[in-house]
Amino acid sequence: MKKALKVTAVVVIAAVVVAGCTSGDFRPPISVDSAVADLLKRPLAGPEVARGAACPVTKVVTRPTPLVGDLLGEGPVRPVMGSTLRYDGEDRGTLFEDSGWGGRKVLWTAVPDLAGPAVIRGRRLDGDDPVGFDGTEGQPLDSEIVMLPDPSAEGWRDRPGYVRLKAPGCYAFQVDTVKGSSVIVFRAVGPTVT
């Protein structure tokens, strides 16, 4: 009798699970990989700026958390920097030596309530020069930075990285999250790298 009850219970549970899976309300969980892939499909935004025109830089927010310095912008992920990024060339003895790119170390911070992934990309607003990320000490140069969710994080969290540039000018970072996109405009000052 007990064996028959166990079999019946298993059949009933299986039927409930199958019925739940076929109802219109069931949605499989979205994987972080597919969320990042969706974020990467968004076009890069930002104002077009004529070469030589004033760069409409984003406002600096003064120390919203005691853990870091001034942040550029008010979005969910922001760089710890002012409105001007002074980058180094590919000089001998630097992390960027003979790479074809200049760069500067930048710390990225995420607000405490950032739940999903964030994708950071960049583009030049007054020209065609590319923006890269990381790519030092034998690591590949990336076209984006991905900040993955961290359910164990309490408060602000950060991710160090490198912004890689080839020429001075007016640039924008675009931060994409599942809740939307934000654009951070900055001026870059440094040597032209060929």
Side-chain angles (χ1 to χ4, degrees):
M1 182 72 166
K2 286 185 181 181
K3 189 172 185 178
L5 286 175
K6 283 183 184 177
V7 171
T8 304
V10 170
V11 170
V12 169
I13 291 170
V16 169
V17 169
V18 169
C21 289
T22 58
S23 75
D25 294 336
F26 176 75
R27 289 184 202 132
I30 297 173
S31 76
V32 170
D33 288 342
S34 84
V36 168
D38 287 345
L39 296 176
L40 287 169
K41 291 177 187 172
R42 293 185 188 168
L44 289 173
E48 294 300 324
V49 176
R51 210 177 274 272
C55 185
V57 297
T58 300
K59 178 183 169 191
V60 173
V61 177
T62 304
R63 295 187 71 90
T65 170
L67 302 175
V68 296
D70 294 345
L71 303 178
L72 190 56
E74 297 182 356
V77 175
R78 313 172 211 177
V80 180
M81 61 181 261
S83 58
T84 299
L85 178 71
R86 297 187 186 282
Y87 67 93
D88 298 321
E90 55 177 344
D91 300 332
R92 185 177 203 151
T94 68
L95 288 173
F96 318 115
E97 181 178 350
D98 296 327
S99 67
W101 292 80
R104 173 64 60 192
K105 188 170 188 172
V106 172
L107 181 67
W108 294 90
T109 60
V111 295
D113 62 351
L114 180 67
V119 173
I120 303 157
R121 295 176 290 163
R123 75 179 191 98
R124 185 168 177 186
L125 302 176
D126 62 350
D128 298 327
D129 295 299
V131 176
F133 297 95
D134 296 333
T136 61
E137 300 175 341
Q139 298 298 313
L141 187 71
D142 294 320
S143 57
E144 72 275 334
I145 288 178
V146 177
M147 286 186 78
L148 297 174
D150 183 357
S152 66
E154 295 179 9
W156 289 77
R157 60 190 171 99
D158 60 56
R159 189 237 192 241
Y162 291 90
V163 173
R164 307 296 300 276
L165 303 171
K166 289 181 171 279
C170 185
Y171 289 84
F173 296 126
Q174 180 169 311
V175 178
D176 295 304
T177 68
V178 293
K179 292 185 177 181
S181 298
S182 59
V183 175
I184 302 166
V185 178
F186 66 98
R187 193 174 23 257
V189 176
T192 299
V193 179
T194 54

